[in-house]
Amino acid sequence: MMRLDHLAVSALTLEDGVAHVEAALGVTLAPGGQHPHMATHNRLLGLGDIYLEVIAADPSARRPAWPRWFDLDRFSGAPRLTNWIAACDDLAAELAAGPGGLGLPVALSRGDLRWTMAVPATGRLPFDDAFPALIHWAGPVHPVQRLPDSGLRLLRLEIAHPQAAALRKLLAGRLDDARVVIVPGAGKALQASFATPGGTRRL
């Protein structure tokens, strides 16, 4: 089984991404960190049971010899919600049951956080990056336990794709979260709605 773990907003620079999310949601993001293996860095936002990360290539790090996750090497345009990440207890089993192209497990760490993430060889996940990236957290520590609670809560994550029916079928029985809704669309697009003290806001 999989469960919604976090959302990823991609940006050309971390500063641009943070400014976009803070303006859209009316919050201040918490510090994140660097990912030396992928030469990326992020800032985070606690959303109760899940979190949001703003992620971008780290200009202070040497570009890796492999594609960065979330297809960041080919990212262009304004900051936007590009990916969703699902946690699982048995990563190998979920990879075996999923579509081809989900990637190979890569063990990563930052401080006392330990996780294994499936990273596709191309940097791009199935269904034009609409399929969730898969992650397994090792040990008892999870980012939501360390993040200040923003008070915001995810109401709905809408994933639009031309092959919505096929995507829904692959996730049926594997992800049970009423907030995740897959709808037909002319192209891949993600939109998230959040409950905030000032009303519903969207990314």
Short mmCIF file of all heavy atoms in Angstrom, two decimals, residues 9-73:
data_model
loop_
_atom_site.label_atom_id
_atom_site.label_comp_id
_atom_site.label_asym_id
_atom_site.label_seq_id
_atom_site.Cartn_x
_atom_site.Cartn_y
_atom_site.Cartn_z
N VAL A 9 6.99 21.33 -5.39
CA VAL A 9 6.91 22.50 -6.26
C VAL A 9 8.31 22.71 -6.84
O VAL A 9 9.26 22.94 -6.08
CB VAL A 9 6.45 23.76 -5.51
CG1 VAL A 9 6.58 25.00 -6.38
CG2 VAL A 9 5.01 23.59 -5.03
N SER A 10 8.44 22.63 -8.14
CA SER A 10 9.73 22.81 -8.80
C SER A 10 9.91 24.26 -9.21
O SER A 10 8.94 24.97 -9.51
CB SER A 10 9.84 21.91 -10.03
OG SER A 10 9.75 20.55 -9.67
N ALA A 11 11.17 24.69 -9.26
CA ALA A 11 11.47 26.07 -9.64
C ALA A 11 12.87 26.14 -10.23
O ALA A 11 13.72 25.28 -9.97
CB ALA A 11 11.37 26.98 -8.42
N LEU A 12 13.10 27.17 -11.03
CA LEU A 12 14.44 27.37 -11.60
C LEU A 12 15.42 27.76 -10.50
O LEU A 12 16.60 27.39 -10.55
CB LEU A 12 14.38 28.45 -12.68
CG LEU A 12 13.72 28.03 -14.00
CD1 LEU A 12 13.62 29.22 -14.94
CD2 LEU A 12 14.52 26.90 -14.67
N THR A 13 14.96 28.55 -9.53
CA THR A 13 15.78 28.87 -8.37
C THR A 13 14.94 28.66 -7.12
O THR A 13 13.71 28.83 -7.14
CB THR A 13 16.29 30.32 -8.39
OG1 THR A 13 15.20 31.22 -8.16
CG2 THR A 13 16.96 30.65 -9.74
N LEU A 14 15.59 28.31 -6.04
CA LEU A 14 14.87 28.10 -4.79
C LEU A 14 14.19 29.38 -4.33
O LEU A 14 13.06 29.34 -3.83
CB LEU A 14 15.84 27.58 -3.73
CG LEU A 14 15.22 27.09 -2.42
CD1 LEU A 14 14.22 25.97 -2.68
CD2 LEU A 14 16.30 26.63 -1.46
N GLU A 15 14.86 30.50 -4.53
CA GLU A 15 14.28 31.78 -4.11
C GLU A 15 12.97 32.07 -4.83
O GLU A 15 11.99 32.51 -4.22
CB GLU A 15 15.29 32.91 -4.35
CG GLU A 15 16.54 32.84 -3.51
CD GLU A 15 17.55 31.82 -3.99
OE1 GLU A 15 17.39 31.31 -5.14
OE2 GLU A 15 18.49 31.50 -3.23
N ASP A 16 12.94 31.81 -6.14
CA ASP A 16 11.72 32.03 -6.91
C ASP A 16 10.60 31.11 -6.44
O ASP A 16 9.44 31.51 -6.33
CB ASP A 16 11.97 31.81 -8.40
CG ASP A 16 12.75 32.94 -9.04
OD1 ASP A 16 12.89 34.00 -8.41
OD2 ASP A 16 13.22 32.75 -10.19
N GLY A 17 10.94 29.86 -6.20
CA GLY A 17 9.94 28.90 -5.76
C GLY A 17 9.36 29.24 -4.41
O GLY A 17 8.14 29.15 -4.20
N VAL A 18 10.22 29.64 -3.48
CA VAL A 18 9.75 30.02 -2.15
C VAL A 18 8.84 31.24 -2.23
O VAL A 18 7.76 31.27 -1.61
CB VAL A 18 10.96 30.28 -1.22
CG1 VAL A 18 10.49 30.94 0.08
CG2 VAL A 18 11.69 28.98 -0.92
N ALA A 19 9.24 32.23 -3.00
CA ALA A 19 8.41 33.43 -3.14
C ALA A 19 7.04 33.10 -3.72
O ALA A 19 6.02 33.65 -3.29
CB ALA A 19 9.13 34.46 -4.02
N HIS A 20 7.01 32.20 -4.69
CA HIS A 20 5.75 31.81 -5.32
C HIS A 20 4.81 31.14 -4.32
O HIS A 20 3.63 31.49 -4.22
CB HIS A 20 6.05 30.86 -6.48
CG HIS A 20 4.83 30.22 -7.08
ND1 HIS A 20 3.94 30.90 -7.87
CD2 HIS A 20 4.35 28.94 -6.98
CE1 HIS A 20 2.96 30.08 -8.24
NE2 HIS A 20 3.18 28.89 -7.71
N VAL A 21 5.33 30.18 -3.56
CA VAL A 21 4.49 29.45 -2.61
C VAL A 21 4.05 30.35 -1.47
O VAL A 21 2.88 30.33 -1.06
CB VAL A 21 5.23 28.21 -2.09
CG1 VAL A 21 4.46 27.56 -0.94
CG2 VAL A 21 5.42 27.19 -3.21
N GLU A 22 4.95 31.16 -0.96
CA GLU A 22 4.59 32.03 0.16
C GLU A 22 3.53 33.05 -0.24
O GLU A 22 2.61 33.35 0.54
CB GLU A 22 5.84 32.71 0.70
CG GLU A 22 6.78 31.74 1.41
CD GLU A 22 7.97 32.40 2.07
OE1 GLU A 22 8.25 33.57 1.76
OE2 GLU A 22 8.61 31.73 2.92
N ALA A 23 3.61 33.56 -1.47
CA ALA A 23 2.60 34.50 -1.94
C ALA A 23 1.27 33.81 -2.18
O ALA A 23 0.20 34.36 -1.86
CB ALA A 23 3.08 35.18 -3.22
N ALA A 24 1.31 32.60 -2.73
CA ALA A 24 0.07 31.89 -3.05
C ALA A 24 -0.66 31.40 -1.80
O ALA A 24 -1.89 31.42 -1.76
CB ALA A 24 0.38 30.70 -3.96
N LEU A 25 0.10 30.98 -0.78
CA LEU A 25 -0.52 30.37 0.39
C LEU A 25 -0.52 31.26 1.62
O LEU A 25 -1.17 30.93 2.63
CB LEU A 25 0.19 29.04 0.71
CG LEU A 25 0.16 27.98 -0.39
CD1 LEU A 25 0.81 26.70 0.09
CD2 LEU A 25 -1.26 27.70 -0.87
N GLY A 26 0.21 32.37 1.59
CA GLY A 26 0.20 33.28 2.72
C GLY A 26 0.92 32.74 3.94
O GLY A 26 0.48 32.96 5.07
N VAL A 27 2.01 32.02 3.72
CA VAL A 27 2.76 31.41 4.81
C VAL A 27 4.25 31.68 4.62
O VAL A 27 4.68 32.18 3.57
CB VAL A 27 2.53 29.88 4.86
CG1 VAL A 27 1.11 29.56 5.26
CG2 VAL A 27 2.87 29.24 3.51
N THR A 28 5.03 31.31 5.63
CA THR A 28 6.49 31.37 5.54
C THR A 28 7.03 29.95 5.58
O THR A 28 6.68 29.18 6.50
CB THR A 28 7.08 32.19 6.69
OG1 THR A 28 6.59 33.53 6.62
CG2 THR A 28 8.60 32.21 6.60
N LEU A 29 7.84 29.59 4.61
CA LEU A 29 8.37 28.23 4.55
C LEU A 29 9.50 28.05 5.57
O LEU A 29 10.24 28.99 5.89
CB LEU A 29 8.89 27.91 3.15
CG LEU A 29 7.86 27.27 2.21
CD1 LEU A 29 6.76 28.25 1.87
CD2 LEU A 29 8.51 26.75 0.95
N ALA A 30 9.62 26.83 6.05
CA ALA A 30 10.68 26.47 6.99
C ALA A 30 11.95 26.09 6.23
O ALA A 30 11.89 25.77 5.04
CB ALA A 30 10.21 25.29 7.86
N PRO A 31 13.09 26.13 6.92
CA PRO A 31 14.33 25.68 6.28
C PRO A 31 14.23 24.23 5.83
O PRO A 31 13.48 23.44 6.41
CB PRO A 31 15.38 25.84 7.38
CG PRO A 31 14.81 26.85 8.32
CD PRO A 31 13.32 26.62 8.29
N GLY A 32 14.97 23.90 4.80
CA GLY A 32 15.06 22.52 4.34
C GLY A 32 16.51 22.08 4.40
O GLY A 32 17.10 22.01 5.47
N GLY A 33 17.08 21.79 3.25
CA GLY A 33 18.47 21.36 3.23
C GLY A 33 18.92 21.07 1.82
O GLY A 33 18.25 21.39 0.85
N GLN A 34 20.08 20.44 1.73
CA GLN A 34 20.67 20.09 0.45
C GLN A 34 20.63 18.59 0.23
O GLN A 34 20.59 17.81 1.18
CB GLN A 34 22.12 20.58 0.40
CG GLN A 34 22.27 22.10 0.45
CD GLN A 34 23.71 22.53 0.56
OE1 GLN A 34 24.40 22.19 1.50
NE2 GLN A 34 24.17 23.29 -0.43
N HIS A 35 20.60 18.20 -1.04
CA HIS A 35 20.66 16.79 -1.45
C HIS A 35 21.91 16.61 -2.31
O HIS A 35 21.83 16.77 -3.53
CB HIS A 35 19.42 16.40 -2.24
CG HIS A 35 18.12 16.84 -1.63
ND1 HIS A 35 17.32 17.79 -2.22
CD2 HIS A 35 17.50 16.46 -0.49
CE1 HIS A 35 16.23 17.97 -1.46
NE2 HIS A 35 16.33 17.18 -0.41
N PRO A 36 23.06 16.34 -1.71
CA PRO A 36 24.31 16.27 -2.48
C PRO A 36 24.26 15.28 -3.64
O PRO A 36 24.82 15.56 -4.71
CB PRO A 36 25.34 15.84 -1.42
CG PRO A 36 24.77 16.33 -0.13
CD PRO A 36 23.29 16.16 -0.26
N HIS A 37 23.58 14.16 -3.48
CA HIS A 37 23.54 13.15 -4.54
C HIS A 37 22.86 13.68 -5.79
O HIS A 37 23.22 13.31 -6.91
CB HIS A 37 22.81 11.90 -4.04
CG HIS A 37 22.75 10.78 -5.05
ND1 HIS A 37 23.83 9.99 -5.34
CD2 HIS A 37 21.74 10.35 -5.84
CE1 HIS A 37 23.49 9.11 -6.26
NE2 HIS A 37 22.23 9.30 -6.59
N MET A 38 21.88 14.56 -5.62
CA MET A 38 21.12 15.09 -6.74
C MET A 38 21.45 16.54 -7.07
O MET A 38 20.92 17.10 -8.02
CB MET A 38 19.61 14.97 -6.45
CG MET A 38 19.08 13.56 -6.58
SD MET A 38 19.12 13.01 -8.31
CE MET A 38 18.65 11.29 -8.09
N ALA A 39 22.31 17.16 -6.24
CA ALA A 39 22.67 18.56 -6.43
C ALA A 39 21.42 19.44 -6.47
O ALA A 39 21.25 20.29 -7.34
CB ALA A 39 23.50 18.75 -7.70
N THR A 40 20.53 19.23 -5.49
CA THR A 40 19.34 20.04 -5.33
C THR A 40 19.26 20.53 -3.89
O THR A 40 19.96 20.04 -3.00
CB THR A 40 18.06 19.24 -5.67
OG1 THR A 40 17.99 18.06 -4.84
CG2 THR A 40 18.05 18.82 -7.13
N HIS A 41 18.39 21.50 -3.67
CA HIS A 41 18.13 21.97 -2.31
C HIS A 41 16.67 22.36 -2.21
O HIS A 41 15.99 22.55 -3.22
CB HIS A 41 19.07 23.10 -1.89
CG HIS A 41 19.09 24.29 -2.80
ND1 HIS A 41 19.72 25.47 -2.47
CD2 HIS A 41 18.57 24.52 -4.05
CE1 HIS A 41 19.60 26.35 -3.45
NE2 HIS A 41 18.90 25.80 -4.42
N ASN A 42 16.17 22.47 -0.97
CA ASN A 42 14.74 22.69 -0.81
C ASN A 42 14.42 23.51 0.42
O ASN A 42 15.27 23.77 1.27
CB ASN A 42 13.99 21.34 -0.78
CG ASN A 42 14.30 20.50 0.45
OD1 ASN A 42 15.03 20.90 1.35
ND2 ASN A 42 13.74 19.29 0.49
N ARG A 43 13.16 23.94 0.48
CA ARG A 43 12.54 24.53 1.67
C ARG A 43 11.22 23.79 1.86
O ARG A 43 10.63 23.27 0.90
CB ARG A 43 12.30 26.03 1.47
CG ARG A 43 13.58 26.86 1.39
CD ARG A 43 14.10 27.30 2.75
NE ARG A 43 13.15 28.11 3.48
CZ ARG A 43 13.00 29.43 3.32
NH1 ARG A 43 13.74 30.08 2.42
NH2 ARG A 43 12.12 30.10 4.05
N LEU A 44 10.70 23.79 3.10
CA LEU A 44 9.61 22.90 3.45
C LEU A 44 8.45 23.62 4.14
O LEU A 44 8.63 24.70 4.70
CB LEU A 44 10.13 21.79 4.37
CG LEU A 44 11.34 20.99 3.86
CD1 LEU A 44 11.84 20.05 4.94
CD2 LEU A 44 10.98 20.23 2.59
N LEU A 45 7.30 22.97 4.09
CA LEU A 45 6.09 23.49 4.72
C LEU A 45 5.31 22.34 5.33
O LEU A 45 4.90 21.41 4.62
CB LEU A 45 5.22 24.22 3.68
CG LEU A 45 3.93 24.86 4.21
CD1 LEU A 45 4.25 26.04 5.13
CD2 LEU A 45 3.04 25.32 3.05
N GLY A 46 5.10 22.37 6.63
CA GLY A 46 4.35 21.32 7.31
C GLY A 46 2.85 21.49 7.11
O GLY A 46 2.31 22.58 7.32
N LEU A 47 2.20 20.41 6.72
CA LEU A 47 0.76 20.43 6.43
C LEU A 47 0.00 19.40 7.26
O LEU A 47 -0.97 18.82 6.81
CB LEU A 47 0.53 20.16 4.94
CG LEU A 47 1.15 21.15 3.95
CD1 LEU A 47 1.08 20.60 2.53
CD2 LEU A 47 0.46 22.51 4.04
N GLY A 48 0.47 19.15 8.46
CA GLY A 48 -0.19 18.16 9.30
C GLY A 48 0.36 16.78 9.05
O GLY A 48 1.46 16.44 9.50
N ASP A 49 -0.39 15.96 8.31
CA ASP A 49 0.05 14.59 8.07
C ASP A 49 1.00 14.48 6.87
O ASP A 49 1.60 13.42 6.66
CB ASP A 49 -1.16 13.67 7.84
CG ASP A 49 -1.97 14.05 6.61
OD1 ASP A 49 -2.09 15.25 6.32
OD2 ASP A 49 -2.48 13.13 5.93
N ILE A 50 1.10 15.54 6.06
CA ILE A 50 2.01 15.54 4.92
C ILE A 50 2.79 16.86 4.93
O ILE A 50 2.60 17.69 5.83
CB ILE A 50 1.25 15.38 3.58
CG1 ILE A 50 0.37 16.60 3.31
CG2 ILE A 50 0.42 14.11 3.56
CD1 ILE A 50 -0.19 16.66 1.91
N TYR A 51 3.65 17.03 3.95
CA TYR A 51 4.37 18.30 3.84
C TYR A 51 4.54 18.66 2.38
O TYR A 51 4.27 17.86 1.47
CB TYR A 51 5.71 18.26 4.57
CG TYR A 51 6.77 17.36 3.98
CD1 TYR A 51 7.81 17.88 3.19
CD2 TYR A 51 6.77 15.99 4.21
CE1 TYR A 51 8.79 17.06 2.66
CE2 TYR A 51 7.76 15.17 3.70
CZ TYR A 51 8.77 15.71 2.92
OH TYR A 51 9.74 14.90 2.39
N LEU A 52 4.98 19.89 2.15
CA LEU A 52 5.26 20.39 0.81
C LEU A 52 6.72 20.81 0.76
O LEU A 52 7.24 21.38 1.73
CB LEU A 52 4.35 21.57 0.49
CG LEU A 52 4.49 22.25 -0.88
CD1 LEU A 52 3.13 22.73 -1.37
CD2 LEU A 52 5.46 23.43 -0.82
N GLU A 53 7.36 20.51 -0.35
CA GLU A 53 8.72 20.99 -0.54
C GLU A 53 8.80 21.82 -1.81
O GLU A 53 8.16 21.52 -2.81
CB GLU A 53 9.74 19.84 -0.60
CG GLU A 53 9.72 19.01 -1.86
CD GLU A 53 10.91 18.07 -1.97
OE1 GLU A 53 12.02 18.41 -1.51
OE2 GLU A 53 10.73 16.97 -2.52
N VAL A 54 9.56 22.90 -1.72
CA VAL A 54 9.97 23.65 -2.90
C VAL A 54 11.38 23.20 -3.21
O VAL A 54 12.26 23.21 -2.35
CB VAL A 54 9.94 25.17 -2.65
CG1 VAL A 54 10.48 25.91 -3.87
CG2 VAL A 54 8.53 25.63 -2.32
N ILE A 55 11.61 22.77 -4.45
CA ILE A 55 12.89 22.17 -4.80
C ILE A 55 13.43 22.79 -6.08
O ILE A 55 12.66 23.15 -6.99
CB ILE A 55 12.76 20.64 -4.93
CG1 ILE A 55 14.13 19.98 -5.05
CG2 ILE A 55 11.83 20.24 -6.08
CD1 ILE A 55 14.10 18.48 -4.80
N ALA A 56 14.76 22.91 -6.14
CA ALA A 56 15.42 23.48 -7.31
C ALA A 56 16.85 22.95 -7.37
O ALA A 56 17.38 22.44 -6.37
CB ALA A 56 15.44 25.01 -7.24
N ALA A 57 17.46 23.06 -8.52
CA ALA A 57 18.87 22.72 -8.65
C ALA A 57 19.69 23.63 -7.74
O ALA A 57 19.41 24.83 -7.63
CB ALA A 57 19.32 22.85 -10.09
N ASP A 58 20.70 23.05 -7.11
CA ASP A 58 21.56 23.80 -6.19
C ASP A 58 22.75 24.36 -6.96
O ASP A 58 23.62 23.60 -7.40
CB ASP A 58 22.03 22.87 -5.08
CG ASP A 58 22.84 23.58 -4.01
OD1 ASP A 58 23.18 24.76 -4.20
OD2 ASP A 58 23.15 22.94 -2.99
N PRO A 59 22.83 25.67 -7.16
CA PRO A 59 23.92 26.24 -7.95
C PRO A 59 25.29 26.11 -7.29
O PRO A 59 26.32 26.26 -7.97
CB PRO A 59 23.52 27.71 -8.11
CG PRO A 59 22.64 27.99 -6.94
CD PRO A 59 21.91 26.71 -6.67
N SER A 60 25.32 25.81 -5.99
CA SER A 60 26.60 25.66 -5.30
C SER A 60 27.16 24.25 -5.41
O SER A 60 28.29 24.00 -4.97
CB SER A 60 26.44 26.02 -3.82
OG SER A 60 25.67 25.04 -3.14
N ALA A 61 26.39 23.32 -5.99
CA ALA A 61 26.81 21.92 -6.08
C ALA A 61 27.18 21.57 -7.52
O ALA A 61 26.64 22.13 -8.48
CB ALA A 61 25.69 21.01 -5.60
N ARG A 62 28.08 20.63 -7.66
CA ARG A 62 28.45 20.14 -8.98
C ARG A 62 27.30 19.33 -9.58
O ARG A 62 26.71 18.49 -8.90
CB ARG A 62 29.70 19.26 -8.89
CG ARG A 62 30.21 18.76 -10.25
CD ARG A 62 31.32 17.73 -10.05
NE ARG A 62 32.47 18.31 -9.37
CZ ARG A 62 33.47 18.91 -10.01
NH1 ARG A 62 33.45 19.03 -11.32
NH2 ARG A 62 34.49 19.40 -9.33
N ARG A 63 27.00 19.58 -10.84
CA ARG A 63 25.91 18.86 -11.50
C ARG A 63 26.23 17.36 -11.52
O ARG A 63 27.35 16.96 -11.89
CB ARG A 63 25.71 19.38 -12.92
CG ARG A 63 24.58 18.68 -13.66
CD ARG A 63 24.23 19.40 -14.95
NE ARG A 63 23.20 18.71 -15.69
CZ ARG A 63 22.44 19.28 -16.61
NH1 ARG A 63 22.62 20.56 -16.91
NH2 ARG A 63 21.50 18.60 -17.23
N PRO A 64 25.28 16.52 -11.14
CA PRO A 64 25.55 15.08 -11.10
C PRO A 64 25.68 14.49 -12.50
O PRO A 64 25.23 15.09 -13.49
CB PRO A 64 24.34 14.50 -10.37
CG PRO A 64 23.25 15.49 -10.62
CD PRO A 64 23.91 16.84 -10.68
N ALA A 65 26.26 13.30 -12.56
CA ALA A 65 26.43 12.61 -13.85
C ALA A 65 25.15 11.90 -14.28
O ALA A 65 25.13 11.26 -15.33
CB ALA A 65 27.57 11.61 -13.74
N TRP A 66 24.13 12.00 -13.49
CA TRP A 66 22.84 11.36 -13.78
C TRP A 66 21.75 12.43 -13.71
O TRP A 66 21.93 13.48 -13.09
CB TRP A 66 22.55 10.26 -12.77
CG TRP A 66 22.87 10.67 -11.37
CD1 TRP A 66 22.09 11.37 -10.49
CD2 TRP A 66 24.11 10.46 -10.69
NE1 TRP A 66 22.75 11.60 -9.32
CE2 TRP A 66 23.99 11.05 -9.41
CE3 TRP A 66 25.31 9.81 -11.04
CZ2 TRP A 66 25.04 11.01 -8.48
CZ3 TRP A 66 26.34 9.78 -10.12
CH2 TRP A 66 26.20 10.38 -8.85
N PRO A 67 20.59 12.19 -14.33
CA PRO A 67 19.50 13.18 -14.28
C PRO A 67 19.01 13.41 -12.86
O PRO A 67 18.91 12.48 -12.06
CB PRO A 67 18.41 12.55 -15.15
CG PRO A 67 19.13 11.63 -16.07
CD PRO A 67 20.27 11.07 -15.25
N ARG A 68 18.70 14.65 -12.55
CA ARG A 68 18.10 14.97 -11.26
C ARG A 68 16.66 14.45 -11.21
O ARG A 68 16.01 14.28 -12.23
CB ARG A 68 18.10 16.48 -11.03
CG ARG A 68 19.48 17.11 -10.84
CD ARG A 68 19.30 18.60 -10.63
NE ARG A 68 20.53 19.29 -10.30
CZ ARG A 68 21.31 19.92 -11.19
NH1 ARG A 68 20.97 19.94 -12.47
NH2 ARG A 68 22.42 20.54 -10.80
N TRP A 69 16.19 14.21 -10.00
CA TRP A 69 14.80 13.78 -9.83
C TRP A 69 13.84 14.89 -10.21
O TRP A 69 14.20 16.05 -10.35
CB TRP A 69 14.53 13.32 -8.40
CG TRP A 69 15.12 14.14 -7.30
CD1 TRP A 69 15.46 15.46 -7.32
CD2 TRP A 69 15.49 13.66 -6.01
NE1 TRP A 69 15.99 15.85 -6.12
CE2 TRP A 69 16.02 14.77 -5.29
CE3 TRP A 69 15.41 12.42 -5.37
CZ2 TRP A 69 16.47 14.66 -3.98
CZ3 TRP A 69 15.86 12.32 -4.07
CH2 TRP A 69 16.38 13.42 -3.39
N PHE A 70 12.58 14.52 -10.39
CA PHE A 70 11.49 15.43 -10.77
C PHE A 70 11.75 16.14 -12.10
O PHE A 70 11.20 17.20 -12.38
CB PHE A 70 11.21 16.46 -9.68
CG PHE A 70 10.95 15.86 -8.32
CD1 PHE A 70 11.45 16.45 -7.17
CD2 PHE A 70 10.22 14.69 -8.19
CE1 PHE A 70 11.21 15.90 -5.91
CE2 PHE A 70 9.97 14.12 -6.95
CZ PHE A 70 10.48 14.73 -5.81
N ASP A 71 12.62 15.54 -12.93
CA ASP A 71 12.91 16.08 -14.26
C ASP A 71 13.41 17.53 -14.19
O ASP A 71 13.17 18.33 -15.09
CB ASP A 71 11.66 15.99 -15.15
CG ASP A 71 11.99 15.89 -16.64
OD1 ASP A 71 13.09 15.44 -16.98
OD2 ASP A 71 11.14 16.28 -17.45
N LEU A 72 14.13 17.85 -13.11
CA LEU A 72 14.54 19.24 -12.89
C LEU A 72 15.52 19.74 -13.95
O LEU A 72 15.59 20.95 -14.19
CB LEU A 72 15.17 19.38 -11.50
CG LEU A 72 14.19 19.53 -10.33
CD1 LEU A 72 14.93 19.46 -9.01
CD2 LEU A 72 13.42 20.83 -10.45
N ASP A 73 16.26 18.84 -14.57
CA ASP A 73 17.22 19.28 -15.59
C ASP A 73 16.53 19.89 -16.80
O ASP A 73 17.15 20.67 -17.54
CB ASP A 73 18.11 18.12 -16.03
CG ASP A 73 19.05 17.67 -14.92
OD1 ASP A 73 19.59 18.54 -14.21
OD2 ASP A 73 19.25 16.45 -14.75
#
